[in-house]
Amino acid sequence: MSTTTERATGTTGTASRTVVVIGHGMVGHRFVEALRSRDTDSTWKVIVLSEEADAAYDRVGLSSYVGAWDRSALALSGNSYAGDDLVELRLGTRAEQVDRRTRTVTTSTGEVVAYDALVLATGSYPFVPPVPGHDSEGCYVYRTLDDLDGIRARAEAAIARAAAEGREANGLVVGGGLLGLEAANALRLLGLTPHVVEFAPRLMPLQVDEGGGAVLKGLISNLGVQVHTGAGTSSIAAQDDGRLAVELSDGTALLTDLVVFSAGVRPSDAVARAAGLAVGERGGVTTDTACRTSDENVWAVGEVAAVEGRCYGLVAPGYTMAEVVADRLLGGEATFPGADLSTKLKLLGVDVASFGDAMAATPGALEIVHTDATKGTYAKVVVSDDARTLLGGILVGDASAYTTLKAYVGREVPGDPGALISPAGAELGADALPDDAVICSCNNVTKGSICGAIAEGACDIAALKGCTNAGTTCGGCLPTVKKLLVDSGVELSKALCEHFEQSRAELFEIVASTGIRTFSGLLARYGTGTGCEICKPTVASILASTSSDHILDGEQAALQDSNDHFLANIQKNGTYSVVPRMPGGEVTAEQLITIGQVAQDFGLYVKVTGGQRIDLFGARVEQLPAIWQRLVDVGMESGQAYGKSLRTVKSCVGSTWCRFGVQDSVGMAVDLEHRYRGLRSPHKIKFGVSGCARECAEARGKDVGVIATDKGWNLYVCGNGGQTPAHARLLASDLDDETLVRYIDRFLMFYVRTADRLQRTAPWLDSLEGGLEHLKAVVCDDSLGIADDLEAAMSRHVEGYQDEWKAVLDDPEKLSRFVSFVNAPEEADPTIAFDESGPRKVPVLLGLPTVRENV
Amino acid sequence: MTTLITAPPIDEVAPTARTVIRPGVLPAPGAKQWVPACPVSRLVPGRGVAVLLPGGGQAALFLLPNGMIYAVGNIDPYARAGVISRGLTGDRAGEPTVASPLLKQVFSLRTGAALDDPEVALPTYAVRVQHGLVRLGVPHP
Ligand SMILES: Cc1cc2nc3c(=O)[nH]c(=O)nc-3n(C[C@H](O)[C@H](O)[C@H](O)COP(=O)(O)OP(=O)(O)OC[C@H]3O[C@@H](n4cnc5c(N)ncnc54)[C@H](O)[C@@H]3O)c2cc1C
Ligand code: SF4
């Protein structure tokens, strides 16, 4: 092999040393982030070798890939290190060999990379028991995105074949632990009937005890999963028809379309072994508490590390190790403190949690159990022999007490410990917890830091998430965080402003239920003072969302923000921009010509917007009616670019022109834009419609994103651009046109009713108790029983729609407000000026010298 | 969902039948030129209009729902543009206000002062209503 060894040349910044990271999984990525954020002097250059072709993604959330099939949605943020010259990420490159003497790594591409420090972050691989036939076609593991693609292809083919043969397609999961149940759920979502085979006498043997396992088995069987416990897999044999015949140790024979092995994981320590590093008895690279291996220049983090001989199969301890090594490389003294292996998860909609000494292994430990067969819940707490200190516990069916209980582990319980889990018992308050109790275990956030943040002024969940990170990973602790907020005495003021104590959502309810239709009426009855620039537009928006009156009718005119009052967007010098609606981005030649002529005649600056329409800048108030008259004459309408309302429905060209398209995205976009145009909402709303999964319309960056599939449409919601961008989340898949529209009706109206003032859809979703699951339940399953109501409200909107500009042009009274000066209506404002000497026309503000004086 | 409100519908508050007009800013001492702006009927309670002053200056004239009339400078000192007349009116702890439509700074309609910034203020103008016509008092040049 003719290769050259690369040594860091020192050309990039001041970095003098190189750390090579093997493996770009969750922990490898965290390590790079931790090192780069702390290495303020840029002493280290980082080279990451990643066997997988995808940069680090959220393996914990792997199952959410099912359905959306969108790899980008799982990408961990910042995983490409864009703009950071000191990190080099080599994807699809496996580390084959480590030579500790020369301090080099040889890669699968034949390169030899030198290191000063080496970090092993190779994670684990799934263990496949060596049963005969385990490598037959149709056998899979469940660890990577590629694994899931394979399972999907096999499942879809199996379903097609099974349908032709008039039978059900099914799949078998070997292993009934945490991951096995996730895999079973994935198979269920794919349309297969899942079977789960577990060797132990109960499901999730590592986390729950016998009693919990029995309740769990009942709950899971009810969901259509066939559970076989106390049975091993004896053999797998491929049949002529491609199916697999599986024999279990209890004599059961099953015919299945595919098999997923989920029988535990083993540390990926092969490279380390070959390099002669010390490994643990049961695998894993042995390290000390600094995560340093038997070679002082080599470190191990994540699932591959056996810290003092012990491997950890969870992501949180791995993150801690990554932080430890980053600190050590910069001369710090951090050590790995050990980790809490508590888990809480929702499997197939069933809550399961175990924490502390769940199996009562402590000598003398007492167990207190509460089972409710009708509700399907099981709860157990383990306490010390004097029944005073909480040691651990298990919750199945209802894990709402998890965070608080866990925080009490190792502490004295106030009162009778049995009361902790008895339904009648007093709920354990978060207020009784000491400050050092960990509330968010994913990010290791204590009650003290949460309360500290509250004291410093973080007064809602979003702010707390932002400044403490609590609840940003699994979200399980959010109910407790919320309780802390409420208990903190910081009054969670929902008051809209000094004139209304109510929140926007409450005012909406008031308007809807009392029928009060004026601001003065609302203020007299429910508020104080005369209103302000906050409550007036809010009430105006509520009134507009609940009726089809013109927004400049009667008293409402006085409530509208300046933009809505002049039906145009005010710009920095007080002139306006004009944006006619172009549904789905469509425009006729005649309209385009008129727009050009208008721009020319009024001297407007023209710019194409990001929402596929055209913005005309620099119109004075008194010019607006004349401009709009000409636009209305060629059939154009207000684009409501000035309103907190539906803006645009961006679309790609779709199946009518594009060779990849599978649905008519333009047609759908135009229909949607016509349906929802003019709808007033708490903030602006944008849509996108793409004709296939290539997603050229960037629909997932929109509040409502519609993406074509070969079976219909996938509906995504709550994506936002702006300051804190958020990808839209999958609400429902493969919808037909009618269901799609029905779901969007419900979604939009639910948002309009319940969101706060100026709360865009992504933060609204964040603030919804129950999050996406709750939203799905409301929109798709009508869990609140309000779907008819929401749809009726939307159809009133659709029927009552009128073009705001046309209505103004038809009404001399409204028109009369579009004047520059009340005493000189035709006079152009003398303070408005433009500079056209540069590459584009720009406004010149008052008091700014237009000519620079050359001294 | 949110709080359930069970109040019975009430009769709409009838629009104020007659607005009693009261100039809000007392004339500062000194001789004034009284510039005609518009008939009172031209004003929408709660909103403003711009008035062109002799010499090219401009004022923002407001009628509040309680019948008070105020006039302040129309040029937003922060944004340096003539937009104050297009702002939303209201009150802060009883002080009548207007908020700039551009960056939303709030000014007292009575004194012109920016409420969050003691350094900045709009000029104020005396207002007089005669025979239904609103006039602004502008100091003689
Ligand atoms: C379906 C599923 C659900 C899970 N749920 C949870 C959960 O709810 N909570 C929890 O805490 N944990 C959960 N886990 C476990 C969690 O994902 C792991 O603990 C975590 O991903 C470990 O991170 P890591 O970086 O050590 O390893 P990995 O994420 O496995 O990353 C290791 C990477 O290194 C690469 N690699 C290996 N060898 C080489 C080589 N020689 N050269 C180059 N690259 C190499 C691998 O391809 C892989 O990409 C779950 C795991 C799965 C699969
Ligand atoms: S999203 Fe698909 S259909 Fe639309 S333009 Fe792109 S490739 Fe074509």
Side-chain angles (χ1 to χ4, degrees):
Chain A
M1 226 189 317
S2 72
T3 52
T4 45
T5 306
E6 311 163 22
R7 285 273 170 199
T9 53
T11 46
T12 34
T14 52
S16 52
R17 291 190 290 171
T18 302
V19 53
V20 172
V21 182
I22 305 185
H24 198 229
M26 301 184 72
V27 177
H29 172 54
R30 171 60 76 96
F31 165 76
V32 178
E33 282 202 314
L35 181 68
R36 292 298 301 128
S37 71
R38 293 177 191 204
D39 184 10
T40 41
D41 298 335
S42 300
T43 43
W44 290 95
K45 173 181 167 53
V46 186
I47 297 177
V48 187
L49 306 177
S50 161
E51 175 182 24
E52 290 190 67
D54 295 278
Y57 55 87
D58 182 5
R59 202 178 306 285
V60 170
L62 186 65
S63 299
S64 67
Y65 179 54
V66 177
W69 305 112
D70 175 4
R71 288 182 180 232
S72 66
L74 286 178
L76 293 178
S77 68
N79 67 356
S80 64
Y81 315 109
D84 187 342
D85 292 341
L86 286 182
V87 183
E88 187 187 322
L89 175 59
R90 303 192 186 172
L91 294 176
T93 307
R94 203 184 134 74
E96 296 292 355
Q97 204 191 341
V98 172
D99 185 336
R100 297 198 281 127
R101 202 182 40 82
T102 56
R103 282 196 272 131
T104 54
V105 181
T106 309
T107 71
S108 51
T109 52
E111 287 151 304
V112 178
V113 187
Y115 66 81
D116 296 293
L118 178 67
V119 176
L120 302 169
T122 48
S124 301
Y125 64 90
F127 169 67
V128 177
V131 294
H134 65 84
D135 48 3
S136 311
E137 199 176 313
C139 291
Y140 296 88
V141 293
Y142 197 82
R143 178 97 193 161
T144 65
L145 291 168
D146 290 344
D147 291 338
L148 263 66
D149 279 345
I151 292 172
R152 177 194 186 188
R154 173 92 182 179
E156 286 179 349
I159 289 167
R161 206 178 47 220
E165 293 168 12
R167 60 174 174 87
E168 263 190 0
N170 61 15
L172 178 116
V173 178
V174 178
L178 201 150
L179 293 190
L181 293 181
E182 273 205 29
N185 192 30
L187 296 186
R188 203 170 72 110
L189 293 176
L190 281 165
L192 303 179
T193 304
H195 290 256
V196 173
V197 183
E198 169 56 50
F199 189 68
R202 59 175 185 273
L203 291 173
M204 293 186 64
L206 294 183
Q207 287 86 12
V208 307
D209 60 1
E210 216 170 300
V215 172
L216 185 60
K217 182 171 178 175
L219 289 171
I220 295 217
S221 305
N222 282 343
L223 294 168
V225 179
Q226 312 278 326
V227 181
H228 312 265
T229 47
T233 312
S234 306
S235 68
I236 299 170
Q239 304 297 102
D240 292 342
D241 65 355
R243 287 208 273 172
L244 298 163
V246 182
E247 203 174 305
L248 305 186
S249 61
D250 64 1
T252 314
L254 295 165
L255 257 186
T256 182
D257 291 287
L258 66 87
V259 172
V260 178
F261 286 105
S262 180
V265 295
R266 298 285 182 272
S268 302
D269 55 13
V271 173
R273 276 175 197 267
L277 290 168
V279 291
E281 243 172 75
R282 280 182 276 162
V285 183
T286 315
T287 74
D288 57 14
T289 54
C291 299
R292 194 190 291 256
T293 68
S294 52
D295 177 332
E296 61 166 353
N297 296 314
V298 183
W299 313 76
V301 293
E303 287 194 343
V304 73
V307 184
E308 299 204 294
R310 174 156 194 195
C311 289
Y312 296 86
L314 294 172
V315 71
Y319 280 175
T320 311
M321 296 177 210
E323 302 279 348
V324 167
V325 174
D327 181 69
R328 289 274 171 170
L329 287 186
L330 296 171
E333 293 283 297
T335 54
F336 181 70
D340 176 13
L341 295 184
S342 304
T343 32
K344 175 183 169 212
L345 54 149
K346 207 181 193 83
L347 281 171
L348 303 119
V350 179
D351 278 335
V352 184
S354 84
F355 54 94
D357 179 11
M359 301 299 172
T362 313
L366 305 169
E367 299 186 9
I368 306 167
V369 176
H370 181 90
T371 320
D372 186 330
T374 47
K375 275 201 277 174
T377 60
Y378 171 92
K380 174 177 94 172
V381 287
V382 179
V383 291
S384 58
D385 50 4
D386 59 359
R388 297 176 90 171
T389 308
L390 183 66
L391 299 177
I394 294 171
L395 303 166
V396 177
D398 172 9
S400 50
Y402 170 73
T403 309
T404 333
L405 281 178
K406 191 166 68 73
Y408 267 102
V409 170
R411 302 175 195 278
E412 205 156 296
V413 182
D416 170 15
L420 297 180
I421 48 169
S422 94
E427 203 186 323
L428 200 48
D431 50 340
L433 283 171
D435 273 357
D436 60 344
V438 172
I439 302 290
C440 168
S441 39
C442 296
N443 298 297
N444 201 15
V445 185
T446 60
K447 178 184 165 190
S449 30
I450 294 174
C451 292
I454 295 173
E456 274 163 31
C459 54
D460 56 25
I461 297 277
L464 278 175
K465 277 184 175 176
C467 63
T468 65
N469 263 345
T472 51
T473 307
C474 78
C477 62
L478 284 178
T480 313
V481 174
K482 183 157 186 196
K483 276 202 83 192
L484 283 176
L485 253 179
V486 174
D487 294 350
S488 69
V490 172
E491 183 140 337
L492 266 186
S493 171
K494 294 170 300 172
L496 188 61
C497 64
E498 69 171 83
H499 305 103
F500 285 101
E501 269 172 25
Q502 299 83 350
S503 67
R504 178 191 174 278
E506 286 168 341
L507 285 176
F508 194 102
E509 286 297 300
I510 291 177
V511 169
S513 59
T514 61
I516 297 178
R517 302 282 328 153
T518 60
F519 180 75
S520 51
L522 205 57
L523 196 66
R525 188 83 184 275
Y526 295 95
T528 56
T530 59
C532 65
E533 72 284 359
I534 293 172
C535 56
K536 282 181 172 179
T538 305
V539 171
S541 157
I542 293 173
L543 293 175
S545 298
T546 46
S547 92
S548 305
D549 300 342
H550 195 280
I551 61 166
L552 299 182
D553 275 346
E555 206 200 86
Q556 278 195 53
L559 307 177
Q560 309 295 346
D561 241 331
S562 175
N563 277 355
D564 277 310
H565 195 240
F566 292 102
L567 305 170
N569 286 42
I570 196 164
Q571 303 296 335
K572 63 192 292 182
N573 67 342
T575 60
Y576 287 87
S577 78
V578 170
V579 186
R581 189 170 292 290
M582 293 184 184
E586 275 184 348
V587 61
T588 66
E590 187 197 9
Q591 292 169 341
L592 212 47
I593 289 167
T594 304
I595 289 176
Q597 283 169 345
V598 164
Q600 198 165 46
D601 294 351
F602 292 87
L604 305 176
Y605 166 66
V606 186
K607 185 166 186 319
V608 175
T609 74
Q612 300 186 332
R613 42 196 197 173
I614 295 173
D615 210 338
L616 305 169
F617 289 83
R620 297 193 308 269
V621 184
E622 71 276 15
Q623 294 176 322
L624 290 171
I627 291 173
W628 271 105
Q629 187 64 61
R630 289 170 62 174
L631 297 173
V632 166
D633 285 346
V634 289
M636 306 203 80
E637 316 181 318
S638 165
Q640 264 99 19
Y642 45 81
K644 303 288 179 242
S645 56
L646 176 78
R647 296 283 172 87
T648 64
V649 180
K650 181 171 176 175
S651 72
C652 75
V653 75
S655 61
T656 46
W657 289 87
C658 174
R659 67 207 152 103
F660 299 116
V662 292
Q663 306 282 352
D664 176 12
S665 47
V666 179
M668 178 52 78
V670 172
D671 288 351
L672 292 176
E673 187 153 350
H674 280 145
R675 185 168 181 83
Y676 302 115
R677 63 187 165 183
L679 178 70
R680 287 296 198 285
S681 50
H683 210 304
K684 60 186 172 191
I685 307 175
K686 298 180 177 181
F687 278 41
V689 183
S690 280
C692 80
R694 285 174 183 76
E695 241 283 73
C696 296
E698 296 166 329
R700 289 206 52 206
K702 310 286 187 232
D703 300 280
V704 174
V706 176
I707 301 177
T709 69
D710 17 324
K711 302 190 195 75
W713 306 96
N714 281 356
L715 172 58
Y716 294 82
V717 294
C718 303
N720 289 169
Q723 211 164 28
T724 3
H727 267 137
R729 318 264 299 271
L730 183 69
L731 192 73
S733 5
D734 295 330
L735 304 174
D736 56 37
D737 292 9
E738 192 208 319
T739 317
L740 175 74
V741 169
R742 205 141 38 89
Y743 282 4
I744 300 177
D745 278 4
R746 295 177 185 181
F747 166 75
L748 286 179
M749 270 300 167
F750 188 51
Y751 165 65
V752 165
R753 281 193 181 182
T754 58
D756 270 338
R757 179 184 91 94
L758 300 187
Q759 187 177 38
R760 290 204 62 186
T761 52
W764 169 70
L765 179 61
D766 272 349
S767 73
L768 271 189
E769 217 159 304
L772 185 65
E773 288 307 315
H774 176 62
L775 185 60
K776 275 187 192 164
V778 173
V779 172
C780 310
D781 309 328
D782 191 16
S783 61
L784 296 180
I786 55 171
D788 288 346
D789 225 26
L790 298 175
E791 286 175 33
M794 189 60 85
S795 60
R796 278 195 300 277
H797 162 78
V798 174
E799 280 154 27
Y801 169 81
Q802 51 174 338
D803 174 24
E804 281 166 5
W805 260 109
K806 177 151 188 339
V808 165
L809 296 174
D810 293 344
D811 181 344
E813 141 74 15
K814 293 191 176 94
L815 261 184
S816 70
R817 295 175 198 156
F818 291 82
V819 292
S820 51
F821 297 103
V822 72
N823 55 345
E826 305 288 311
E827 193 94 10
D829 180 347
T831 66
I832 293 177
F834 299 95
D835 177 358
E836 302 197 53
S837 61
R840 60 194 64 84
K841 177 169 179 156
V842 292
V844 177
L845 299 181
L846 271 178
L848 259 190
T850 40
V851 189
R852 286 233 341 238
E853 282 173 38
N854 289 321
V855 185
Chain B
M1 277 226 9
T2 43
T3 358
L4 198 66
I5 312 289
T6 46
I10 58 157
D11 291 336
E12 295 282 276
V13 174
T16 342
R18 206 168 61 91
T19 317
V20 186
I21 310 295
R22 288 163 296 174
V25 180
L26 290 176
K32 295 209 168 42
Q33 178 186 359
W34 290 95
V35 180
C38 63
V40 174
S41 59
R42 181 74 170 66
L43 298 174
V44 177
R47 289 229 85 108
V49 294
V51 181
L52 191 60
L53 302 178
Q58 39 187 288
L61 175 67
F62 298 91
L63 168 63
L64 297 192
N66 64 3
M68 300 293 275
I69 296 190
Y70 297 96
V72 294
N74 192 37
I75 307 289
D76 176 340
Y78 295 97
R80 303 201 303 266
V83 295
I84 294 295
S85 61
R86 292 175 246 159
L88 274 174
T89 62
D91 77 288
R92 247 210 219 170
E95 181 74 11
T97 58
V98 61
S100 162
L102 285 171
L103 296 170
K104 315 281 173 192
Q105 290 91 353
V106 177
F107 301 90
S108 160
L109 284 175
R110 235 169 25 83
T111 65
L115 293 186
D116 299 312
D117 187 348
E119 309 276 293
V120 177
L122 302 173
T124 57
Y125 301 93
V127 178
R128 199 184 255 181
V129 184
Q130 284 171 325
H131 311 297
L133 184 70
V134 186
R135 292 174 187 273
L136 266 54
V138 185
H140 275 299

